[in-house]
Amino acid sequence: TGASMVWDTPCVQMAIKGARKRTSQMAHVALGNRSLLTTRVVWAVVSFLDATQSEHWLSPLLLLAWAILGRVQSEILPLLRGQEAHAIGLPENAHSAVWRDTQKTLWVKLRRRKHRPAGSLLSMPCECQRSPAYCSACRVAQYIEQQRIRVGAPLWPGATPAISLAALQRVLTLLRVAAPTSYTWKAVRAGHATELALTPGVSLADIMKRGEWRSGSVLAYVRPDDVHVPTFVAQTLDMSDAEADE
């Protein structure tokens, strides 16, 4: 899937030095014994991969997973290229479809999502005006075109859970992120949920909607110390129909 990298070249060393500046001031964020990603770490990883022109598939994969609070192993890794007609229905046995419309909005249709047996349709508008290097909609669309991925084909051929996680942990190690091997793919969904919980103006109901969680299950993904549980209950009980936790 990705080319092996020679870590002692001047290009790589310069990229490492630049990307480390993003991570050197950051506290290590964890949920229990799991380390969590943050936007700054995600962007540092993407900057490093771009500068070294390596693992070309990992940047769009990571940005997409972060944007939609995706479950990497079951939702992101099996993604297939699609087309606009798939908004109405997926081909038989197709796991998913990913396409970009004429307004530069990226669409992800999943046949099933946990707690959503009828499937899910997610959209990501272009965010190039705010952060062009980290716009998940455009980065995924550009990757699809550059790799000439045909409709119905997998977006990340050969990227297994083990291979993709090892690639991420390798970059985290080079960036001197604390405890790089403690990061699993849970670090994406849980990390973004926790970060949103700490963002002023973002309610837990907003987080639940973005992650398509059932009411109580979001508490498994955000650090308890960062969430006022009574407020969470008040905000979500009205939305809940006796839903079971994840």
Side-chain angles (χ1 to χ4, degrees), residues 13 20 26 51 114 121 139 151 160 164 180 202-203 210:
Q13 292 304 318
R20 278 176 181 164
M26 292 187 301
K114 194 167 186 179
L121 181 62
R139 290 297 299 265
V151 173
T160 65
S164 57
V202 178
S203 69
R210 288 188 60 169

Side-chain angles (χ1 to χ4, degrees), residues 168-238:
L168 174 64
Q169 291 177 344
R170 185 162 60 247
V171 176
L172 294 174
T173 299
L174 289 164
L175 295 177
R176 294 180 181 168
V177 173
T181 58
S182 69
Y183 286 82
T184 69
W185 280 128
K186 281 268 191 181
V188 176
R189 191 163 163 88
H192 201 176
T194 295
E195 188 169 286
L196 288 170
L198 296 169
T199 302
V202 178
S203 69
L204 284 167
D206 294 332
I207 300 171
M208 288 168 50
K209 183 176 180 181
R210 288 188 60 169
E212 296 190 328
W213 269 287
R214 291 191 173 200
S215 60
S217 63
V218 73
L219 285 178
Y221 286 85
V222 297
R223 296 190 302 170
D225 290 345
D226 295 329
V227 178
H228 187 244
V229 177
T231 301
F232 167 79
V233 173
Q235 289 177 331
T236 59
L237 278 180
D238 289 342

Side-chain angles (χ1 to χ4, degrees), residues 2-32:
S4 60
M5 299 164 67
V6 181
W7 303 112
D8 59 355
T9 64
C11 173
V12 172
Q13 292 304 318
M14 186 175 297
I16 292 173
K17 184 177 180 180
R20 278 176 181 164
K21 291 180 180 178
R22 291 182 177 273
T23 60
S24 60
Q25 302 295 322
M26 292 187 301
H28 180 229
V29 182
L31 175 63

Side-chain angles (χ1 to χ4, degrees), residues 5 44-55 58-59 62 171:
M5 299 164 67
V45 169
V46 171
S47 295
F48 173 84
L49 293 170
D50 288 351
T52 57
Q53 298 183 352
S54 58
E55 311 290 9
L58 185 55
S59 287
L62 183 57
V171 176

